[in-house]
Amino acid sequence: MNPTPENLQHLANFLGQTLSPDPTARKGAEAQLNQAKVQPGYPLLLLRLVGASEPAAEIRLQGAIQLKNLINNHWIASESHDFSISDADKAAVKAEIVSASMTVPEKLQPFLSESLSTICNADFPLDQKWPELLPQLMSNLDSDNPAVAVATLKIIHAIAQKYVTASHTDELWAEIKAVLALHERLLRTHSSCLAMVQQQSGNKAILEVLFQTLELLARIFYDLNYQDIPEVFEDNLDVWMQGFHQLLNLPDPVKALFNDNDEKLSSLYQMQRAICEALHLYADKYIVIVDDSDRGSRPDERPVFQKHLGTFVEDVWALLTHLGVQYQFDQLAAAAIRFLSSVLKGTHYTFFQPAHLQSIVNNVVVPGLRIRESDEEDFEDNPLEYMQRDLEGGVTDTRRGVTCELVNAMCIHFEAPTSQLCMTEIESALNQYQADNSKWKAKDAAIYLFIALAVKAETKAGGVVMINPHVDIVSFFQRYVLPDLQAVTAANVSKNPILMADLLKFLLIFRNQLPKEAYAVMFPILNVLLTSQDCIVHTYAACCLEKMLTVKDGEVPRVGRVELQPMLQPFLTNLFAALNHTASKENPHIMKCVMRMINVAQADVVTVAALLAGKLTEILSDLCKSFQQNIAPKNPAFHHYIFETLAGVIKQICVAGDVNAVNAMEGMLLPPFKMVMEQDITEFQPYFVQLVAQLLEKRPAPIPEVYVQTLPILLQQPVWASKANQPALSRLIKAYINRITDVIIANQALFHQILGLIQFLMMSKMTDNYAFGILNSILCHVPSSKYPEFLPVLTNAALDRFQKLPQASNGKFLRGLIVFFSLYIAKHGPEMLLDQLESTQAGLMEQFLTHVWVPKLNQVVNDSIDKKVCQIGMCRLLCESPRAHKYGCWATAMDAVCKSLQNNRGGIHMNNNVEDDVDFEFLVSYNNSSFMALHNAAQDKAATDPLPDVPDAGRFVIEKLQQTASQAPNLAPTIQTLAQQYQLS
C-alpha cells in the first residue's frame, strides 16, 4: 500500500466516512480501515496523510488518532492483538515521524508525540533500534527556528515523561543517561531564553514563544530528575535554580503584558506552574541526598537543594499572595501550594514559625476556601462539572482542593496551633452566619475549613478513617449541621442549595464518625432532599444515602435489610422521580444509589419488584428508542448501574423462586435484548448478554421457547467480533448447553452451529480461551456417545493450533488445552482420549505429558477450579491407564500433581460471592475492547466447578495412589517416596 496520491485519497475518503452520522456508512468505513491496517505500507500512508496539507482538518485529525491507536496497539507483538507492525513499516515510520512532528499543526502534535512515546518505549535506546533519534533531536535543538525548537522539546518531553511513572531499574537509569546527552543543549537553550526574556521584555509575541520554550524545559527538567538527580544536573543545579528564581520574579511590566484576564492560563503562568512543580519535586525528594553506594563507609549526605530552599519559599509565597483568585490561576496556585505543603511536611518545616502559620491561614487558606463567583456559576450552569470537582475526587487541581492539602500539611508538625487558628476562623465565620443568614458564604467557607482541618486520613471507598483529635465531629454536626437539615421541608427543600450541598457533603464525609442514632434521624430528611429541584442537592442526597448503606460497625452493616425496609419504597419512588429532572436524566449517582438499595434490601426486593420493573422498563425503552434514532448514550456509568440494578433484581427474584416475577423480568428484558443483538448496538450488548445468562442459569425449569429462538443470533461470527462481547457470550452459550442440552442435541443444525463456532474461535489467539470454555461445557453436559461425531475433529484442530504456538508460550491457549485434556479424562476416564491421540500419532500422549503438560502445569494454570480439574485429570490418567503406568515421565508427572496440591493447601474456596459493600468505583467507557463485568450477575464459584462430585482433590489423589500402589507394584516405591515428600496421608 504505497503512499500514492490515489491511495491517500482513498484513505481520506474512508476516514471521512468514519465521521458520518449514517451508522451503515460509518461501520463500513471502519471495517475497511480495519482490513487495511494489516497491509504493508499502511502506517506510512497514515503518517503521510496526517502531514499532508490537502485533506480537511477533521480528516487529518482522524488520521492522527488512527495512527496513534495503530502504533499503541500494534507496534509491539502481543497475545491480546491479532498482528504487529512489520519491521519494514516500523523503519519507514521512524524515518519520517520526527520531521512530521515539526511541521503538522499544533492540534495534531499531541497525537504524534504519543506515538513517538510508544515507539521510544519499545525501540529506544537500549535495543539500538533507533540510533538516529538522538542525533536528530540534537540537530533540531541547534536550529534558529523557534517553532522547530518548541516541537523538538515536545518530542523530548514525550520521550522522557515515562520516567515519572516507571519503576527504577538499572536498564531505566541507563536509558536516562543516554537521553542526558541532550543536557548541554537543553541548558544552553535555557540560558539563551533567559537572556532573550530580558532583551525582549516589552515584546509579548516573542515572550509567548520564550515562555512556552521555558515551560517545556522545566517539564523536561522534572522528567529527567524524577528517578534521581543525574550528575550533570547536580553539577549545573545552581544555573538551573538561578534561572527558575529569575522566572518567578519577573518585573512588573512583563507580568502586566500577561494579565489580560483571559479564561485560559497564559504562557507566563503555565511556565511558572511547571517551575513550581519542579521545585515541589526537589522539596519532596532532594533537599538532602544520602549517597550510600559505598556501604562499607558512613553514608555521605550531600546538600543538594537545601541552600536554595529559603529563596524559593519566599519566591513562591510572594507569587501566591499576589495571585488572583480567578479559576484560571488554580493550577498554578495548586503547584505553588503543593511546594509549600511539601516543605511544611518535610524535615525543614522549621522555615515556618507561628507567625507564618497565622499569615498562611489569613492569606492563603481562608481566601482559598471562599466560594467564588465562578464556582456559583458552575453550580447553577455546570452541575456535573461542579460535582466532579467537589464530590468525585476531582479537586486535586482546584484552589479549594489544594488548600485543604495545605491545612493537612500544616497539621503534621503544627497540629495544635493550626487547629486553634483554624477553629478561631471557623467560629468567626459561623457567628457571622448566625447573626445574618444572608451571609451563607461565611458558613460555606467554615464547613470546608472544618472538613480540611478534621480529616487526617480517608479512603475513597471507606470514608474518613482518622480524624484530628483537636476537633469534635459530633458536636459540630449537632450544633451547625443537623439544625439546618432538620429545618428542611417539602416547601423549602430547594432553598439555598449551595449551603445545603455543603451540609450533605459533611454528612457524606463523616458518615463513619456519626452515631447510628443519627442515621435514623437523617433518613427521612434525605428522602425529602431527594425531591429537591436542584440537581446537585438531590444528587448529594443520593450519594449520602448510598455511602451510608456501606458503613459497617466491625463486620456488621450499620444499616441492614431490617432498618432499610420501612424506607425502601419511599426512597425508590423519590430516586426514580429525581431522574425526571432534565439535568439528572442520566445521573449515575442516583442509579448507583438504587443499585445499592437493591443489594441491601435482598429478599425485600420482591416487595418493590413491580415498581422496579415499571421504572427500569421505561428507562430501557427510552434507551432503545434513542439508539433507533442514532442518539448516542451520554453517560456510560449511568447505564452500567442500570444493568447492575437489573442484575441485583434478577438475583433476588431467582433466589426467592417467584416464577411470576422471573417471567415478568424475562418479558421486560428479552425483547430489547433481541433488538440490541439484531441491530448491533455494541454499547449494550455485553450487559444484556450477562443478564440473559444470569436468568438462564438461575431460572426454574422449564426453559421458555423464546430462549431457543434467540440462540442462533448468538452463534453468528460477527457478534463475536467485539472483544467486549466475548466473555459474556461465552458464558451465555455455556448456560444454553447446560440448561437445554436435549434441545440442542435434538436440533442437528443448531448443534453443528455451536461446533462451527468453537472451531472459529479456536483459530484465533484472541478467542481460543472461549472456544475451550464452550468445549468444556460440552464435555460436562453432552452424552459421551455423541463424542465420536465431533470431538476428534475439534481435538485435532486444537493440536494443529498447538503446533503453531511459539516454543516458549505460557499463554492462555496452552492453559486451555491442558485444562481441556484434564477435564476430558476427569469426566470420562483416560482411555477415550488416549485412543484418539494414539490414532493421530503413536506416543503422542506421552510426548505431550513429558514436554508440555508436566513442565507447564504449575506455570500456566492458576485458577483454583482449573487446578482441581488438572489434578484430578492427570491423576486419573497416571493411575487408571495401564498404558500410562509405563510412561518414563510417570514419577515427574505425579510429582507435578503433588506439587500443585501442595501449592493449593489452603483449599479451594468455592464461595465467590463478594460482599455487597463492593465500592463499584471504576471508569466505565464505551469501546469495543473493554468488558465491564456486572458484579450482581457474577456466578458463584461453586457453580463453575465441573467436578462437584469430587469435593476434595487431595483426598481423591491419595486414594488413587493407594489403589495404584497395589495394582502396579513397580510404581509402589515411587508412590511411597511422593507420599513421604508431600506428606500425603
Side-chain angles (χ1 to χ4, degrees), residues 79 768 772 802 805-820 848 851-853 855-857 859-861:
E79 280 199 355
D768 49 32
F772 282 119
F802 166 70
L805 283 181
Q807 189 170 4
S809 175
N810 285 335
K812 54 187 175 60
F813 181 85
L814 204 53
R815 177 171 62 253
L817 184 60
I818 290 173
V819 173
F820 166 60
F848 184 79
H851 300 294
V852 180
W853 199 337
K856 297 294 186 181
L857 173 64
Q859 293 180 24
V860 301
V861 181

Side-chain angles (χ1 to χ4, degrees), residues 20 45 81 95 104 115 159 276 292 330 347 363 384 391 472 530 536 548 603 637 646 795 815 848 865 894 951:
S20 170
L45 183 68
H81 295 105
V104 298
S115 301
I159 295 170
C276 287
D292 59 353
D330 281 3
T347 57
N363 296 311
L384 296 179
L391 185 65
D472 188 334
L530 288 173
I536 293 179
M548 289 167 77
L646 287 165
T795 305
R815 177 171 62 253
F848 184 79
I865 296 293
M894 188 52 74

Side-chain angles (χ1 to χ4, degrees), residues 252-375:
D252 290 339
V254 172
K255 291 189 283 188
L257 294 174
F258 294 87
N259 287 337
D260 49 10
N261 293 320
D262 285 343
E263 292 187 357
K264 184 180 177 182
L265 193 63
S266 68
S267 58
L268 184 153
Y269 295 114
Q270 291 276 20
M271 172 198 68
Q272 291 184 331
R273 174 193 172 192
I275 291 171
C276 287
E277 288 171 352
L279 297 177
H280 175 218
L281 172 70
Y282 264 65
D284 209 32
K285 298 178 70 170
Y286 303 133
I287 291 177
V288 170
I289 293 293
V290 178
D291 183 3
D292 59 353
S293 57
D294 182 6
R295 299 186 183 276
S297 61
R298 183 179 177 181
D300 174 28
E301 291 191 352
R302 296 180 285 122
V304 176
F305 187 55
Q306 186 175 355
K307 67 178 181 178
H308 300 286
L309 193 59
T311 298
F312 284 118
V313 167
E314 292 179 7
D315 291 346
V316 173
W317 177 252
L319 176 69
L320 269 177
T321 53
H322 292 91
L323 199 61
V325 297
Q326 295 92 332
Y327 75 91
Q328 62 262 38
F329 295 117
D330 281 3
Q331 292 182 334
L332 171 56
I337 290 172
R338 285 205 181 98
F339 167 71
L340 294 180
S341 297
S342 188
V343 179
L344 278 162
K345 289 187 291 187
T347 57
H348 290 72
Y349 65 90
T350 51
F351 274 109
F352 296 93
Q353 300 300 320
H356 293 136
L357 299 180
Q358 179 74 66
S359 181
I360 291 174
V361 170
N362 292 341
N363 296 311
V364 179
V365 172
V366 173
L369 293 177
R370 287 192 188 118
I371 191 167
R372 300 169 295 186
E373 184 178 346
S374 59
D375 297 322

Side-chain angles (χ1 to χ4, degrees), residues 627-645:
F627 274 110
Q628 288 173 329
Q629 298 167 9
N630 294 323
I631 300 174
K634 298 176 182 177
N635 196 314
F638 172 72
H639 302 121
H640 184 92
Y641 291 129
I642 289 174
F643 289 104
E644 280 286 6
T645 302

